[in-house]
Amino acid sequence: MRPVIALAACALVALAACKEEEIARPDPVAMTDETVGYYCQMYVMDHPGPKGQIFVKGFDAPFWFSQVTDARAFVLDPEREGEVLAIYVSDMGAAESWAIPGENNWIPVETAYYVIESTQLGGMGTPEAISYASRADAEALVAEVGGRVVGWEDLTDTYVRPDFDQTGSDEHAQADEHAHDAGANPGQIAEANQ
């Protein structure tokens, strides 16, 4: 009987080690000048506003996003492959400015407060979920540019991937298209839309 107990104990230890490995949360990494966005394949630091980084099982480096809404769209994508291990967003309360969101001021998405439906567009010139570690900082932005404060789970598919043609809010999309045709960079597009 003792060999059976020893074998069961070894199996439990092995299972516990596997579970511990599965729940290990990677730490955020610093954004660099060479960081490229997952969707746009452009340098992330070339765009103003908050950013996102997502760690996916099987990949050593995070996937980068030029906007927080892009990171949320990735998570909500039903065709996305790979288990998400950790997601971090910029704390704009610790940012030097809107144009310089910071390289190391990352916060877990679950603890962040997000300002949505404001007049402040994201780095790619589309509606953004502006992330803060402090609710007071988020509410201060609402007082300045409108909108409301929500949590990560409140960032719905409809908000992060709006259908501009259906909502009647296609003026931003048209402005982006004209600006791209004229050779403007995304920072100029965001300024043009304000």
Side-chain angles (χ1 to χ4, degrees), residues 39 67-77 114-117 126-130 150-164:
Y39 288 125
Q67 289 198 176
V68 171
T69 51
D70 290 345
R72 183 64 175 154
F74 176 83
V75 172
L76 292 172
D77 187 346
Y114 302 90
V115 175
I116 65 169
E117 300 167 357
T126 58
E128 178 60 300
I130 305 165
V150 299
W152 178 251
E153 294 301 323
D154 299 315
L155 300 177
T156 63
D157 194 55
T158 304
Y159 184 75
V160 300
R161 292 188 283 200
D163 182 352
F164 289 109

Side-chain angles (χ1 to χ4, degrees), residues 62-122:
F63 295 171
W64 292 93
F65 298 89
S66 298
Q67 289 198 176
V68 171
T69 51
D70 290 345
R72 183 64 175 154
F74 176 83
V75 172
L76 292 172
D77 187 346
E79 296 180 16
R80 172 186 49 82
E81 293 184 27
E83 178 186 349
V84 172
L85 300 176
I87 309 170
Y88 298 97
V89 291
S90 303
D91 174 12
M92 291 305 287
E96 184 176 329
S97 67
W98 182 255
I100 306 171
E103 300 157 0
N104 289 305
N105 52 319
W106 299 103
I107 52 176
V109 294
E110 306 87 8
T111 63
Y113 299 93
Y114 302 90
V115 175
I116 65 169
E117 300 167 357
S118 75
T119 58
Q120 178 64 62
L121 298 177

Side-chain angles (χ1 to χ4, degrees), residues 117-176:
E117 300 167 357
S118 75
T119 58
Q120 178 64 62
L121 298 177
M124 299 303 286
T126 58
E128 178 60 300
I130 305 165
S131 47
Y132 288 93
S134 158
R135 184 174 189 91
D137 287 345
E139 289 173 349
L141 183 69
V142 168
E144 196 177 311
V145 297
R148 61 191 177 101
V149 178
V150 299
W152 178 251
E153 294 301 323
D154 299 315
L155 300 177
T156 63
D157 194 55
T158 304
Y159 184 75
V160 300
R161 292 188 283 200
D163 182 352
F164 289 109
D165 293 332
Q166 300 242 341
T167 63
S169 303
D170 63 344
E171 63 251 3
H172 292 307
Q174 289 172 358
D176 292 351

